[in-house]
Amino acid sequence: MKDIQSQPDSRRINIKKVGVKDISYPITVLDKAKTVQHTVARVNMYVNLPHQFKGTHMSRFVEILNQFHGSINLQSFHSVLDAMKNRLQAEEAHMEIEFPFFLKQNDCSPAMAGISEYSCKMHGSLDKIDDLILTVQVPISSPSAIQNNEGLPKSLGRWGTAEVSLRLSHFIWIEDLIQTVENITCHDRTWHDEMDSEIEHDSLSVEDMTKQLSKKIASHPHISWFSVTVENFSKNYSTFATLEWPESGTSHRHWPTEQQ
Amino acid sequence: MKDIQSQPDSRRINIKKVGVKDISYPITVLDKAKTVQHTVARVNMYVNLPHQFKGTHMSRFVEILNQFHGSINLQSFHSVLDAMKNRLQAEEAHMEIEFPFFLKQNDCSPAMAGISEYSCKMHGSLDKIDDLILTVQVPISSPSAIQNNEGLPKSLGRWGTAEVSLRLSHFIWIEDLIQTVENITCHDRTWHDEMDSEIEHDSLSVEDMTKQLSKKIASHPHISWFSVTVENFSKNYSTFATLEWPESGTSHRHWPTEQQ
Amino acid sequence: MKDIQSQPDSRRINIKKVGVKDISYPITVLDKAKTVQHTVARVNMYVNLPHQFKGTHMSRFVEILNQFHGSINLQSFHSVLDAMKNRLQAEEAHMEIEFPFFLKQNDCSPAMAGISEYSCKMHGSLDKIDDLILTVQVPISSPSAIQNNEGLPKSLGRWGTAEVSLRLSHFIWIEDLIQTVENITCHDRTWHDEMDSEIEHDSLSVEDMTKQLSKKIASHPHISWFSVTVENFSKNYSTFATLEWPESGTSHRHWPTEQQ
Amino acid sequence: MKDIQSQPDSRRINIKKVGVKDISYPITVLDKAKTVQHTVARVNMYVNLPHQFKGTHMSRFVEILNQFHGSINLQSFHSVLDAMKNRLQAEEAHMEIEFPFFLKQNDCSPAMAGISEYSCKMHGSLDKIDDLILTVQVPISSPSAIQNNEGLPKSLGRWGTAEVSLRLSHFIWIEDLIQTVENITCHDRTWHDEMDSEIEHDSLSVEDMTKQLSKKIASHPHISWFSVTVENFSKNYSTFATLEWPESGTSHRHWPTEQQ
């Protein structure tokens, strides 16, 4: 690979992202039931770096994180991003956090007393306007027609996952989003009763479950964009389907109604 | 979450992606030195699904993969994508493969006889036109001024990684891309000699190393787009910088030269 | 933590293990059908270090690995260990390799044309005598009573895994061990036909499947020790059972027969 | 693999381990500074199953975990194990928990304001006697002679890790164990000052650092057994050394003193 152009001047080029990643950090999340839930997040924080700036002070990212220690949540995201933008003199600021969120005993897993874990992500951006995408991954069990000797359905394994990402115009509880998804995906509750119906068998395909979930989420008034991915585990690989709405490149529009 | 809109009709909505993922598959890659290198890839294959189609036959993805068994490489990517598009009647076809690529003993790691491993990715797309992005991740050692009792530099650990993604207008050997990167990142070869110079100390920042790498890659005649990310491991997190060129949203243009 | 003993002399203490780990290395494995299978292994190599030796030359481990490049298998394990023991003047030598092993289309996964992946491990030791433990992990699908529109059973997800470790007195093909396990664990072949029988429902517990597998393996003439672990995935955790035979601490003895 | 023995009777064979694994669970750990630290653990719980028992009730493991929710620590381990042994009528009970433990700003990482993460494990067993092994993994930075433009040492990457496992006769704070390890491993504090001395260069080998750490830990009055593993990352693999004391198979004895 030889240089055949005149020497480029990298001083005039923008650094698109500069920051810190994979910080493990204890955080608290507001929680419908318990007010405050303690968990551990993996955090990425970065800004753009206009070409006239020579470097950035990496330690400032963690200093900002420390200032908000104990109160990272949907509400405080804007304040953290604002502090990043100001202290680092950046045009854009980004923060991504990923954490396990726990729900006490829900109807969807009656076989085992205990708490369920959901992987959550928040990706916030601030340039001129705020943007926040919330992602929740909901595990899906294999449907079970078999009961163990305590009268509870036996585990037939992991069917897959449903991952929903949203842009919100109003606050929404993570618990409510999980319940919306589990109303569709929860085999033990929904599918089990109707195991013989033609419709229910159909709903086992990733395409159909993606569409059912999308239809449900599109009907929510406070969601301006979403993406749904349903993944079905086979022994050695997965099958999956993804639906995004409105599709990128198209203007915001109504989900087609049956009347149309 | 209540339905407040009239019932949406999901039958009129496109599935953006449907396919298989995380298939572990033995492949061969063409290799400058040995002609054929055997390795094991993780493969994702997916298509879009226009709304008039009701479902897709997942088994066909793996059937196509089997047809090309033993010859997945930069050259055969187009044929695989073409087969996917035709057999699944899709408008777009995508394949992503990720695999370890091995190089025998290179100058950049003299301390240990042996072979070096590089993580590679290829992401090919076909709608009306072909698109292929090649990604190589190059590990970077910590600079070492200390020799062990065999006269070789002692390992002072893992400094980080450089990841380069490219769109190519002509074929390029993975080996040549790795060497281009290691000409910049290889401490034992480059930095060691000039450990005391002001310039070399500077080059230890992720921003500067990202710019140096970008400048080098921008000067290559057959690269129409690239992204460079340099990551520096600290004890509990990483710092990183990313540069993309041309930046998305801008038209293709020349890297600014020093004359400008 | 204060020192309250007289100063200990670490020069008189043995290093139990010293070596290299997590080397990614392309290897070939002998294969019943194709003679040679190319795959990529993760390799650990280590020796003990008697207290009179001050250090070891780490680069020699990789030099030895390079000597045997292309022919790591059950047969060559002894030679590699012997070379390690000699060149590093050690009393004991160990090598662990872990790799994906591929089988073309087997009866246990009719739903998808393709190849199945099994995670394999070999752990060889040499002090005065040779020791080799072979481990194979076999994925288990969820049982499926539902057919898709191509007449094949639909994936109902991942039920779990069966992991079998063996000490062998004679050579055994990895393929034969996998088939022995799948004769018990393969739902699509075995369970499906008898889905209603009391016995088959019982066999869904990890304890029972562990016992069935152990009974089968104990009947093989060339196995002097084994361990079986069956794991069943639930949504957020796993249940598992492990049986080892003969149990550590007991002398070698016959598996109890029904006549006893 | 044919059956050539008379049919073995698996009903007379013990299940060695049966239980649940990979439960993700929020826990609190007692902490020298803050009294209570919230973190998220991965939990395994299992018992042995004497051959006269036909099965075990997996849901009871999680019920027991729920009873102690919010107070898993070195002190409560015995109570959890006791509850497992009683409720499951087992001869032996085991619990393993693994969690990130956080320390605010310590001297060993002055470059970045913030908190440090340490991976901790506790493995408790109860048959006739209690046994508890505490494991802490301490990350080690690469030594840095270079300062950035804020006068702090620049990151030169990850040198490796030191992992210490202990059997304790008295309670010990995790913080104190971490500090004991970092007194040896912390380059920025210890090594940096004496970068030129012959001794310090020597201490960069995994064997020597393992011995230095072992000598320090052996001098602690409340430790009846320990294992130390020091791992040094190279670009594509690691080198490591492990020392265990007293070595398994030997009776408890004093670490050899220099007077001997």
Side-chain angles (χ1 to χ4, degrees), chain C residues 1 3 6-9 16-17 19-21 56 180 207 219-220 238-242 244 255-258, chain D residues 1 3 6-9 16-17 19-21 56 180 207 215 219-220 238-242 244 255-258:
Chain C
M1 291 173 105
D3 288 6
S6 58
Q7 277 305 306
D9 176 9
K16 190 185 158 83
K17 299 178 190 173
V20 294
K21 56 181 282 199
T56 192
T180 301
E207 297 100 316
S219 70
H220 191 282
S238 293
T239 59
F240 75 104
T242 299
E244 197 181 306
W255 186 270
T257 56
E258 278 158 22
Chain D
M1 291 173 106
D3 288 6
S6 59
Q7 277 305 306
D9 177 9
K16 189 185 158 83
K17 298 179 190 174
V20 293
K21 56 181 282 198
T56 192
T180 302
E207 297 101 315
K215 186 175 152 182
S219 70
H220 191 281
S238 293
T239 58
F240 75 104
T242 299
E244 197 181 305
W255 185 271
T257 55
E258 279 159 21

Side-chain angles (χ1 to χ4, degrees), chain A residues 1 8-9 17 180 242 255-256, chain B residues 1 8-9 17 180 242 255-256:
Chain A
M1 291 174 105
D9 176 8
K17 299 179 189 174
T180 300
T242 299
W255 185 269
Chain B
M1 291 173 107
D9 177 9
K17 299 178 190 174
T180 301
T242 298
W255 186 270

Side-chain angles (χ1 to χ4, degrees), chain C residues 27-31 35-36 68 70-80 95 97 99 122 132 171 174:
Chain C
I27 65 163
T28 59
V29 184
L30 286 181
D31 172 315
T35 312
V36 166
F68 289 88
S71 56
I72 302 296
N73 51 51
L74 281 169
Q75 289 82 353
S76 66
F77 243 79
H78 175 81
S79 310
V80 178
M95 181 161 66
I97 65 171
F99 54 91
M122 295 179 191
L132 184 68
F171 176 78
I174 293 173

Side-chain angles (χ1 to χ4, degrees), chain C residues 1-24 42 44-46 49 51 53-58 62 166 172 176-177 180 202 206-208 210-212 215-221 223 231 236-245 247-248 253-260, chain D residues 1-24 42 44-46 49 51 53-58 62 166 172 176-177 180 202 206-208 210-212 215-221 223 231 236-245 247-248 253-260:
Chain C
M1 291 173 105
K2 285 184 202 161
D3 288 6
I4 63 155
Q5 297 185 344
S6 58
Q7 277 305 306
D9 176 9
S10 55
R11 289 166 301 183
R12 301 178 57 133
I13 293 291
N14 289 341
I15 293 278
K16 190 185 158 83
K17 299 178 190 173
V18 59
V20 294
K21 56 181 282 199
D22 295 332
I23 306 177
S24 186
R42 194 141 292 264
N44 302 337
M45 300 169 85
Y46 50 93
L49 191 66
H51 69 260
F53 288 103
K54 187 129 205 290
T56 192
H57 299 299
M58 294 298 191
V62 183
L166 304 172
I172 185 174
D176 290 340
L177 177 57
T180 301
D202 260 9
V206 291
E207 297 100 316
D208 289 330
T210 297
K211 286 191 171 185
Q212 280 184 32
K215 187 175 152 181
K216 188 76 188 168
I217 290 162
S219 70
H220 191 282
I223 292 169
E231 185 173 343
N236 277 134
Y237 57 88
S238 293
T239 59
F240 75 104
T242 299
L243 197 155
E244 197 181 306
W245 184 82
E247 292 187 68
S248 52
R253 60 187 165 72
H254 288 290
W255 186 270
T257 56
E258 278 158 22
Q259 291 80 348
Q260 286 182 317
Chain D
M1 291 173 106
K2 283 184 203 160
D3 288 6
I4 63 156
Q5 297 183 345
S6 59
Q7 277 305 306
D9 177 9
S10 56
R11 289 167 302 185
R12 301 176 58 133
I13 293 291
N14 289 340
I15 293 277
K16 189 185 158 83
K17 298 179 190 174
V18 58
V20 293
K21 56 181 282 198
D22 294 332
I23 306 177
S24 185
R42 194 140 291 265
N44 303 336
M45 301 168 84
Y46 50 94
L49 192 65
H51 69 260
F53 288 103
K54 185 124 208 286
T56 192
H57 300 299
M58 294 298 190
V62 182
L166 304 172
I172 185 174
D176 289 341
L177 177 56
T180 302
D202 259 9
V206 290
E207 297 101 315
D208 288 330
T210 297
K211 286 192 171 186
Q212 280 184 32
K215 186 175 152 182
K216 188 77 188 166
I217 290 162
S219 70
H220 191 281
I223 292 170
E231 184 174 342
N236 278 133
Y237 57 87
S238 293
T239 58
F240 75 104
T242 299
L243 196 156
E244 197 181 305
W245 184 83
E247 293 186 68
S248 51
R253 60 185 167 72
H254 289 290
W255 185 271
T257 55
E258 279 159 21
Q259 292 79 348
Q260 287 182 316

Side-chain angles (χ1 to χ4, degrees), chain B residues 53-116:
Chain B
F53 288 103
K54 185 126 208 289
T56 192
H57 299 299
M58 294 298 190
S59 58
R60 292 188 188 162
F61 289 101
V62 182
E63 284 166 26
I64 293 165
L65 190 59
N66 287 342
Q67 280 174 12
F68 290 87
H69 179 206
S71 55
I72 302 297
N73 51 50
L74 280 169
Q75 290 82 356
S76 66
F77 243 79
H78 177 79
S79 310
V80 178
L81 292 170
D82 209 44
M84 285 166 64
K85 215 178 142 182
N86 287 334
R87 292 205 52 193
L88 293 151
Q89 295 176 274
E91 286 168 6
E92 279 174 45
H94 296 265
M95 181 161 67
E96 298 159 359
I97 66 171
E98 193 169 349
F99 54 90
F101 181 82
F102 295 95
L103 274 192
K104 281 212 167 174
Q105 187 68 24
N106 66 352
D107 301 344
C108 191
S109 48
M112 179 73 86
I115 59 174
S116 297

